[in-house]
Amino acid sequence: MIYTPGKFNETFDVCACMILLVLIVSRLARGFNRTLERKSSIALLLLDVNVFLSALLEFGWCYMVNHPAGYQPWLLAACGMLQKVIFSSITFIFFLFALFLVVGEQPLEKEQWLFYCLPYVAVLLLLAFPGTRQKIYLTALPARVQWGPWHWVLNFVAILYLLGALKSVWPKWRELGERFWWIVSFEVVYVLITVLRYRFVYLRVTHFLLAISLLILTLFIGDFDIRSWHEQSVIDELAEVKNRYGFRHDFRFFVDKDICVAMLDIDYFKDFNDMAGHGCGDEVIQVVGQTGRLFFGNDIYRYGGDEFLIVTSRMMPQKFIKELHRMADSVESAYIEGAPRRVTLTMGYCFGHPNNNQELRDLLTKADRNLYVGKEAGRGKIVGDKLTS
């Protein structure tokens, strides 16, 4: 089916640009600069910018088609081409946003990047070469466009990225809460817009509806500010200390510094859950987390289950060892109602000066090995590097 856009389509694109511009400025003002290192924050802003540019280019294309005075064939073709390329990026950037929201600062392997980018690169190549581009968009005249036999490829890749985004966030849907439903809602809106593009080919309202959906969903979710998302994603609600993602985010603070590292485990933690119930086990986790904060501030992390990690550059080794002993004694003396026994900790520690992320991971491995030496020695032990005079 061949169609030519009407003059009212210009109004839809202008409104979309205005809404998206407000969202972009609002996000920049509400904390993007403070969370520049957050990949999800960058992806979210890029999503807004991408839709804005696509709407702006479509407006220019529609304006030249509907106003002979502004008609420039080469400029018309350039706007149309760039708009198609940028619009094809929407679902790819949305997928990256969902992925980074889950993995946090965890680095992706080169093979993963290649796998994730391959469909998007394939689409760009199809649009870049005239021979394949003509099979996606059959263009008789610059102002008249007809879907080609390969146009399904664009929709297939878009659906592929939407499913990838859903798969990324699905295992953590409870933890993400409203953010998970935001992602699902955006996907539903995108699918509906795709259907409308084919059903009402004379209307070019795609960007306007995307902008409205982004605005409504932003207002619906009060904590859409990426800073609050970040705070919620790196804090363990039970222990009230940073979690594993929080530690990955803090990697850069410990590189190229003298640091002290300790891995600690709650001895026979399973007994508290099995003999006194999970409520008692939760209280044990809370006691360890809060006691750790008293002695090490924000340098303690819940690494997983009943395992905690302490990494600090604020203490000398002698004081660090002393504080580990004080923390273990404080936890053991804490009263927990219904607990079958006192809470004891096994700790493994080490010291070092990591020059890169890999050397930091090596120190964590070393502390973990010392932890297991303490477990094999009977638990309730604090084992680590000997201090040199």
Side-chain angles (χ1 to χ4, degrees):
M1 181 179 294
I2 297 176
Y3 67 92
T4 301
K7 293 184 178 181
F8 285 113
N9 290 287
E10 299 170 19
T11 305
F12 288 126
D13 285 325
V14 168
C15 292
C17 288
M18 294 175 62
I19 294 171
L20 290 163
L21 190 61
V22 170
L23 285 176
I24 292 169
V25 173
S26 175
R27 285 200 222 294
L28 287 171
R30 294 179 67 188
F32 178 77
N33 290 331
R34 293 190 181 183
T35 57
L36 185 61
E37 70 282 0
R38 290 288 292 174
K39 299 173 186 176
S40 55
S41 175
I42 297 173
L44 182 61
L45 184 66
L46 285 177
L47 180 62
D48 291 334
V49 173
N50 195 83
V51 179
F52 170 78
L53 291 176
S54 184
L56 186 64
L57 287 168
E58 187 175 79
F59 164 74
W61 189 86
C62 291
Y63 181 85
M64 284 185 284
V65 168
N66 294 317
H67 297 80
Y71 182 84
Q72 296 288 339
W74 67 270
L75 187 57
L76 188 70
C79 282
M81 176 62 187
L82 286 175
Q83 191 275 326
K84 294 175 179 64
V85 171
I86 292 176
F87 186 80
S88 299
S89 307
I90 291 177
T91 51
F92 174 62
I93 297 175
F94 175 73
F95 164 74
L96 292 181
F97 166 68
L99 178 66
F100 293 144
L101 189 63
V102 174
V103 302
E105 294 302 303
Q106 180 181 0
L108 297 176
E109 301 293 336
K110 292 181 180 179
E111 294 77 9
Q112 290 178 297
W113 273 113
L114 179 62
F115 179 75
Y116 294 147
C117 296
L118 192 58
Y120 176 61
V121 173
V123 167
L124 294 184
L125 291 175
L126 289 175
L127 292 172
F129 294 101
T132 52
R133 185 167 65 244
Q134 290 297 326
K135 292 185 178 296
I136 296 175
Y137 295 99
L138 299 177
T139 306
L141 294 172
R144 295 179 179 273
V145 178
Q146 181 181 6
W147 306 128
W150 287 10
H151 195 271
W152 65 269
V153 175
L154 302 185
N155 293 330
F156 175 76
V157 171
I159 292 174
L160 200 64
Y161 280 124
L162 293 178
L163 292 176
L166 187 61
K167 182 179 182 298
S168 298
V169 299
W170 182 262
K172 294 183 175 292
W173 73 275
R174 291 184 182 275
E175 180 182 338
L176 292 173
E178 289 182 335
R179 298 183 291 281
F180 170 78
W181 295 112
W182 184 92
I183 290 172
V184 172
S185 300
F186 185 88
E187 295 197 357
V188 171
V189 169
Y190 188 91
V191 172
L192 290 175
I193 286 172
T194 301
V195 174
L196 288 175
R197 289 177 67 197
Y198 286 94
R199 180 64 180 85
F200 303 101
V201 292
Y202 294 97
L203 286 176
R204 303 175 74 86
V205 295
T206 299
H207 300 99
F208 176 72
L209 294 178
L210 275 176
I212 289 293
S213 66
L214 284 170
L215 177 63
I216 292 176
L217 292 170
T218 299
L219 296 175
F220 176 74
I221 301 177
D223 67 339
F224 198 78
D225 185 355
I226 196 68
R227 281 179 296 179
S228 62
W229 288 30
H230 167 63
E231 291 171 1
Q232 293 176 22
S233 65
V234 301
I235 299 297
D236 183 87
E237 295 183 358
L238 183 59
E240 297 182 1
V241 297
K242 293 181 183 179
N243 56 23
R244 198 167 189 153
Y245 296 117
F247 175 66
R248 289 169 181 160
H249 176 264
D250 291 347
F251 251 48
R252 66 192 188 282
F253 298 135
F254 304 122
V255 173
D256 199 25
K257 292 182 180 178
D258 293 323
I259 62 172
C260 306
V261 180
M263 282 280 192
L264 60 97
D265 222 8
I266 301 172
D267 296 330
Y268 306 106
F269 178 70
K270 190 172 183 295
D271 291 348
F272 293 97
N273 285 327
D274 293 347
M275 300 174 66
H278 288 280
C280 180
D282 290 349
E283 189 172 352
V284 170
I285 294 293
Q286 291 173 346
V287 167
V288 175
Q290 292 306 299
T291 305
R293 287 194 64 181
L294 288 176
F295 292 100
F296 298 100
N298 290 325
D299 293 331
I300 182 170
Y301 306 83
R302 187 181 179 189
Y303 206 59
D306 62 321
E307 190 174 34
F308 287 79
L309 168 67
I310 301 171
V311 182
T312 182
S313 60
R314 310 171 197 271
M315 294 183 183
M316 298 297 291
Q318 296 87 343
K319 179 168 176 66
F320 182 71
I321 296 174
K322 181 180 178 181
E323 293 300 283
L324 288 178
H325 283 276
R326 291 181 61 196
M327 176 185 172
D329 292 340
S330 181
V331 169
E332 187 174 3
S333 63
Y335 171 75
I336 300 177
E337 186 176 357
R341 58 179 182 80
R342 291 188 178 277
V343 181
T344 59
L345 304 174
T346 299
M347 302 182 180
Y349 64 86
C350 63
F351 312 107
H353 186 102
N355 294 308
N356 51 55
N357 287 352
Q358 184 55 52
E359 291 184 6
L360 177 56
R361 294 188 186 96
D362 293 340
L363 285 176
L364 266 61
T365 301
K366 185 178 181 181
D368 200 43
R369 284 199 298 264
N370 290 335
L371 169 64
Y372 276 93
V373 170
K375 286 184 176 182
E376 292 173 356
R379 300 181 187 262
K381 309 293 184 181
I382 301 179
V383 179
D385 296 349
K386 293 183 178 180
L387 295 177
T388 57
S389 57

